[in-house]
Amino acid sequence: MDREKKLLIGVLALQGAVQPHKAHIEAAGADFMAVKTAADFEKIDALILPGGESTTMLKLIERFDLWDSLADQFTKKPVWGICAGSILLAETVLSPTQKSFAALPITVERNGYGRQLDSHHVDINGYPVSFIRAPIITEVGQGVEVIASHNDRPAWVKKGHIMATAFHPELTLDFPSPMHRAFIDLARETA
Ligand code: GLN
């Protein structure tokens, strides 16, 4: 692609931590857009499904009839699911089971790190990130690359153009996070 063209990275803005991504995306040399309609999705080069509450996001996706247009985006653009976003992308969701897009062959156990550890900070690849009522990625399918682990469990994974992190890097005010950098590199390779 034209190296001068800035990529436009969309963050699904139905619920959850949307705006904190802006500074990371811009520091990594791309533009940010909060997206919530099928028309918005067509404008972006790559999509972030943010952390928040996956059950609420699912309800809003269905209420606004976005299921098919999101599923279509997942087949053709780089997508990064963060925490609740990783739950939406997972093939299998446990505790309790819930509907998902099955765009990434992983199994996640919701709130798997335990309620007493609702929120904790950890260094991943030398960068402080937040686990907030995070899922545990309990299984990864064939072809899934584990980029980083936490407590011997995969915490940052990727297969092809689909990436997921169980944690939030965007709440750390040191821009850009290595995960944003990696995602935008992936989007550059794909564009
Ligand atoms: N526990 C939330 C869920 O199950 C995820 C939390 C988060 O995204 N920080 O959807």
Side-chain angles (χ1 to χ4, degrees):
M1 71 168 283
D2 177 1
R3 294 245 150 230
E4 301 305 308
K5 183 185 170 277
K6 265 194 176 182
L7 292 179
L8 183 59
I9 311 296
V11 183
L12 185 65
L14 299 176
Q15 190 269 337
V18 176
Q19 285 298 322
H21 288 285
K22 187 169 189 284
H24 289 276
I25 290 170
E26 290 176 353
D31 285 326
F32 161 93
M33 181 180 175
V35 293
K36 49 181 160 191
T37 65
D40 290 345
F41 303 156
E42 292 306 324
K43 297 183 186 142
I44 57 174
D45 297 299
L47 176 64
I48 295 176
L49 303 180
E53 200 52 53
S54 56
T55 45
T56 308
M57 287 183 200
L58 278 175
K59 277 186 203 142
L60 295 172
I61 287 167
E62 292 194 334
R63 183 180 307 163
F64 299 128
D65 200 15
L66 294 173
W67 188 276
D68 290 346
S69 52
L70 277 173
D72 178 52
Q73 293 294 312
F74 300 165
T75 65
K76 59 187 188 192
K77 286 179 192 169
V79 182
W80 172 16
I82 298 173
C83 202
S86 73
I87 298 169
L88 296 183
L89 291 177
E91 189 168 277
T92 309
V93 180
L94 304 175
S95 127
T97 55
Q98 109 185 347
K99 189 175 175 183
S100 62
F101 285 90
L104 184 63
I106 59 172
T107 299
V108 296
E109 185 185 319
R110 294 183 61 209
N111 301 308
Y113 287 98
R115 303 220 173 239
Q116 70 277 35
L117 288 177
D118 268 355
S119 181
H120 61 292
H121 302 281
V122 173
D123 262 29
I124 298 281
N125 292 8
Y127 186 84
V129 302
S130 311
F131 281 76
I132 305 169
R133 304 186 61 230
I136 290 185
I137 300 173
T138 55
E139 276 177 56
V140 297
Q142 218 178 4
V144 176
E145 179 191 349
V146 177
I147 304 171
S149 296
H150 170 54
N151 289 350
D152 294 326
R153 302 285 201 165
W156 179 7
V157 298
K158 178 170 115 54
K159 181 177 181 183
H161 63 288
I162 310 274
M163 181 172 120
T165 57
F167 54 82
H168 293 249
E170 78 283 4
L171 304 175
T172 305
L173 303 179
D174 180 4
F175 314 115
S177 81
M179 297 81 198
H180 285 83
R181 205 187 281 279
F183 183 62
I184 288 164
D185 283 348
L186 175 67
R188 280 203 185 96
E189 287 162 20
T190 313

